Amino acid sequence: MRLFQGESESGAMAMPDAQEFRLVLMPPAAGAWNMAVDEAVLEAVGRGEAPPTLRLYAWSPPCLSLGRHQPANDVDQKRLASRGWGWVRRPTGGRAILHTDELTYALIAPTDHPLMRGGVLPSYRRIAAGLLEALRLLGVAARMEGERAPEKQPAPVCFETPSSYEITVGGRKLLGSAQARRHGAVLQHGSLPLWGDLGRIADVLRFPDEHAREVARAAVRRRAITASEAAGRTVKWWEAADAFRRGLAAALGLHFAFGVLTEGELARVEALIRR
């Protein structure tokens, strides 16, 4: 099955010893579903019941996700409900992200896979090479940040400040990622905002007053950037998905074969949502 016109699933520059990955493309879904799928695939890959997987997805309706240990009272529930947006907790760390008008990727492989060996930062650096190649294919000249010391008082908004080995354009954060390592596997997922006002996230977080909200909104707009702004044109979801597939294949020597979730993974997703 051809996923994108003009190319096979392997990507134009796949290496001869390419590693086989399942490529899962799904329609936009609610936040609880999306995070449950990432968790279910992580568990299945760790047990050897599913192959290493790249999942590319989107969100509907817009959803605020909090890092695994972020306080839930960072969210202004009344403002969130008035907009009809959801919220969910991610299986990874980090701070709040508003998922809308974006492409989200999840790359999942066993802990001993060559891509994931050596711990969080070495694997971040490897995967970043593929992400940078994907952005190059979109016409975006991005760079990977170096290692940074943890913030003593991190801001509630994830895109306000780049972390170690995250991807920026002109010093502004473009693509943020985070990892979870458990069940014998590694999940790295991240968000590429495609267009829209990144300052919207301040509308649904809790601040002491409206002045503080405006300060946070302005900070996000100043310190983060969308793919469309960086490229100087509108970057569509399918175009970005194609670039991710080809960029990761070319830079990391991966081979992507279209696949779907197994019955076991789908059953686990439903159980996680109920829980």
Side-chain angles (χ1 to χ4, degrees):
M1 177 178 178
R2 286 284 177 91
L3 299 180
F4 304 95
Q5 291 185 351
E7 290 194 5
S8 67
E9 290 85 341
S10 61
M13 299 176 63
M15 298 170 63
D17 59 347
Q19 296 280 344
E20 185 81 19
F21 268 66
R22 174 180 58 169
L23 176 62
V24 177
L25 304 178
M26 304 179 75
W33 171 270
N34 275 333
M35 293 299 90
V37 171
D38 280 0
E39 184 79 26
V41 176
L42 175 68
E43 294 175 2
V45 170
R47 291 193 300 266
E49 297 173 359
T53 298
L54 170 65
R55 190 167 82 95
L56 302 174
Y57 57 98
W59 306 65
S60 181
C63 183
L64 187 74
S65 78
L66 301 184
R68 184 175 179 85
H69 301 295
Q70 185 173 6
N73 62 9
D74 280 354
V75 182
D76 189 319
Q77 296 287 353
K78 186 175 181 180
R79 282 175 165 265
L80 192 75
S82 71
R83 288 160 176 76
W85 298 350
W87 82 276
V88 70
R89 190 172 293 282
R90 299 190 304 274
T92 54
R95 312 301 286 176
I97 301 172
L98 178 61
H99 300 280
T100 181
D101 309 328
E102 73 173 47
L103 178 139
T104 311
Y105 79 92
L107 193 65
I108 304 161
T111 306
D112 62 357
H113 189 281
L115 193 61
M116 302 301 187
R117 288 176 185 161
V120 174
L121 295 183
S123 57
Y124 260 26
R125 289 195 296 267
R126 292 187 200 105
I127 295 169
L131 301 175
L132 287 170
E133 176 62 16
L135 293 170
R136 188 192 68 79
L137 293 170
L138 292 172
V140 175
R143 68 182 297 272
M144 180 178 64
E145 291 294 319
E147 189 167 349
R148 291 169 175 250
E151 293 180 280
K152 294 181 179 179
Q153 292 183 320
V157 181
C158 188
F159 269 77
E160 189 170 337
T161 307
S163 301
S164 296
Y165 305 119
E166 292 192 315
I167 291 173
T168 61
V169 173
R172 298 167 69 188
K173 184 170 178 175
L174 173 62
L175 203 166
S177 302
Q179 277 191 18
R181 289 176 168 257
R182 55 180 179 271
H183 309 304
V186 180
L187 159 69
Q188 179 168 315
H189 58 188
S191 301
L192 175 67
L194 298 175
W195 59 79
D197 178 12
L198 297 177
R200 287 174 291 181
I201 189 171
D203 294 340
V204 292
L205 294 175
R206 196 180 299 279
F207 293 95
D209 52 49
E210 287 308 303
H211 174 72
R213 188 184 308 280
E214 288 300 324
V215 169
R217 183 182 289 115
V220 175
R221 290 169 176 164
R222 185 172 63 252
R223 297 172 182 171
I225 191 170
T226 67
S228 292
E229 184 179 356
R233 59 181 180 82
T234 300
V235 176
K236 298 181 179 179
W237 191 93
W238 279 101
E239 180 188 4
D242 185 17
F244 267 62
R245 176 187 63 88
R246 292 191 292 132
L248 290 166
L252 304 178
L254 305 181
H255 175 277
F256 294 112
F258 179 74
V260 297
L261 299 182
T262 66
E263 291 185 4
E265 287 170 319
L266 289 170
R268 180 59 175 153
V269 170
E270 295 296 341
L272 286 168
I273 291 173
R274 287 195 300 271
R275 189 181 70 183

